[in-house]
Amino acid sequence: VLKAQRFGWKTKNKKEVKHQKELGGRKMNFLRRVISPSCRSQVSQFANRSFKITQNQYGSVAQPTSSSLIHGIHQFHCPDVVGILAKLSDCIASKEGNILSADIFVPDDNHVFYSRSEFLFDPAKWPREQMDADFSNLAKKFNAMKSVVRVPDIDPKYKTSILASKQEHCLVDLLHGWQDGLFPIHITSVISNHERGPNTHVIRFLERHGIPYYYLPTTKENKREEEILDIVGDTDFLVLARYMQVLSGDFLKSYKKDIINIHHGLLPSFKGSNPSKQAFDAGVKLIGATTHFVSEELDSGPIIEQLVERVSHRDNLRTFIQKSEDVEKRCLAKAIKSYCELRIFPYEANKTVVFRS
């Protein structure tokens, strides 16, 4: 008390303390009356739940922690009818899963339903095989064109092979991004029609990580496609990281899986050779890059991602090319990440639905 008086602190006498205790007791008795016995256990469980603080772009958010919960993703595409979202939610909730986010798109002029859901679940309560069966039953119920479920912590990483030519900026960026864990992929090989010496940084990187490098020189008459097919036969998709060869329709029909290509501009502009000089000579103020799926028609496959960069009269050809290469790297990396996270759907004849992260 003397210390409190010295620093000007307010103190409470015995009567005030007794009054507050009686008031608190009356409040607790009131809560016991209004809260039913069945709800009391829920309130108690909520009070005892542990929380962790995670930072996102909006600030701090409290989320429940549980070491047993893991992350799942479900991608769904079916004819649009009433009740799809409710059934998807029930499927996850019935196994005590918790939906973290759900993206939905239903076009105005086409009665189809696209959705991508992220959820947390306990694999002890919802085994991986049972999850596949549950989502498969939903797919049959709604005549789904596509239903894919992925659990990144359990499922194998996507296997991919990277094809590149002389320019290395996209190849090197992907290799370093893979090394840093930015992509949930397993690079099975790098294939090129350009020879690289044993002491080059790309070859040293690949040797250090045990990734085979195949040098397959091509000609107009022989693009070595049969050999490439033998190498990439067990991959899940391919990446063309500035591979300056056109894959034939026979190759695409034989491979039968997705191939992602980076184009050095905003399609359909500046096709053909030396696009940076074309754009530079045209005096453009915005340059860009386009990532798209490969189709039989050159540079006309469904577009996945497009990024732009501003240029000006102060740029010379060297800085112009540097900016162009930088936007290409970012555009390709973003498309691959979206693909692995099940964010991309085919839409109509030559379009895509891409749910943003």
Side-chain angles (χ1 to χ4, degrees), residues 326-345:
D326 180 67
V327 76
E328 287 173 24
K329 292 187 292 185
R330 290 187 287 115
C331 190
L332 181 57
K334 190 171 183 180
I336 293 173
K337 191 170 185 293
S338 294
Y339 184 86
C340 294
E341 293 176 353
L342 303 182
R343 297 184 181 277
I344 304 169
F345 294 82

Side-chain angles (χ1 to χ4, degrees), residues 27 56 87 121 131 205 282 356:
K27 288 181 178 178
N56 61 21
K87 290 295 183 182
F121 72 102
M131 179 183 293
F205 182 98
R356 302 298 180 190

Side-chain angles (χ1 to χ4, degrees), residues 18 34 40 44 53 83 97 104-105 108 112 154 170 173 177 187 225 308 323 337 348 352:
K18 182 178 180 181
V34 298
R40 289 176 200 165
S44 176
I53 302 299
I104 298 166
F105 173 61
D108 292 335
V112 289
I154 296 177
C170 286
D173 185 70
I187 302 175
E225 290 187 344
V308 297
K323 289 182 177 181
K337 191 170 185 293
E348 295 183 346
T352 57

